[in-house]
Amino acid sequence: MVRQKKEGKLKMKYTEVKMDLFKTEKKYMLGHCIAQDAGMGAGIATQFRKLFGNRLINIVREQKPAVVDVVFYYSKNRKRGVYNIITKKYSTGKPSRASFDRAIEILKDKMIENDHHYLAIPLIGAGLDRLSWDDNKATLMRVFEDTDIEILVCKQ
């Protein structure tokens, strides 16, 4: 079970590497930011869509998530899990700092709930969404610091 720090003993692991996100070890759950409308028609979301098919989009839409929610999808055929982090209402829009930060807090809660210890992500929120990667990284570090979750940031 994912543990949270009680007396300063647990420490998250954070690593940035230059590699293809989709070639990470299967132990890593994948994560990316999407819109509430689940359009997934641009950026790295198109690669998720290609790999996981329209079922990924359908699962997100069926759950009718709110902005800042996180929808987990697990493909038994691919043996990969995906955290769809909802940071904005429309695919053509941009997230706010507040919506990104809150969605990352929800992501942490979902990972603890699902007992997942490994997360591989691209530079979330910093591509088409145009948020500052330095600020996004600071959010990740702050939110996950009291867990034993390992975060692998894959830069291409």
Side-chain angles (χ1 to χ4, degrees):
M1 178 172 185
V2 175
R3 297 174 308 226
Q4 287 188 271
K5 188 186 326 182
K6 291 186 179 150
E7 296 176 17
K9 296 179 183 176
L10 295 177
K11 184 171 173 138
M12 71 168 290
K13 183 176 178 188
Y14 176 93
T15 309
E16 290 186 22
V17 296
K18 185 170 181 165
M19 73 177 295
D20 185 337
L21 175 70
F22 301 101
K23 293 185 178 172
T24 55
E25 294 177 63
K26 300 292 188 224
K27 70 180 181 180
Y28 287 95
M29 299 298 117
L30 303 177
H32 68 133
C33 293
I34 66 169
Q36 185 179 29
D37 65 13
M40 295 191 214
I44 198 165
T46 59
Q47 293 176 314
F48 278 90
R49 187 177 191 168
K50 183 178 179 182
L51 182 64
F52 292 99
N54 286 333
R55 180 91 177 111
L56 175 64
I57 294 169
N58 294 339
I59 291 291
V60 172
R61 289 180 177 163
E62 286 169 12
Q63 293 196 24
K64 298 181 179 157
V67 173
V68 308
D69 204 354
V70 175
V71 176
F72 181 72
Y73 171 77
Y74 184 72
S75 170
K76 290 184 181 180
N77 294 338
R78 300 263 186 217
K79 298 189 191 287
R80 290 310 290 255
V82 179
Y83 282 99
N84 298 281
I85 307 162
I86 317 297
T87 59
K88 58 190 177 184
K89 189 164 183 74
Y90 300 107
S91 296
T92 56
K94 303 291 178 223
S96 68
R97 168 59 43 208
S99 68
F100 179 87
D101 289 359
R102 182 65 185 129
I104 297 303
E105 291 168 0
I106 300 294
L107 171 64
K108 172 189 157 184
D109 294 343
K110 295 269 185 174
M111 289 190 71
I112 291 170
E113 179 184 313
N114 292 332
D115 197 25
H116 291 148
H117 297 264
Y118 302 92
L119 177 67
I121 55 174
L123 298 173
I124 56 174
L128 297 175
D129 287 341
R130 296 188 189 144
L131 293 175
S132 159
W133 173 246
D134 289 338
D135 291 344
N136 296 353
K137 177 180 175 180
T139 296
L140 287 164
M141 300 298 281
R142 176 183 52 78
V143 170
F144 283 92
E145 73 180 345
D146 65 345
T147 72
D148 61 354
I149 293 172
E150 180 178 319
I151 299 175
L152 180 66
V153 178
C154 300
K155 303 187 221 180
Q156 289 185 328

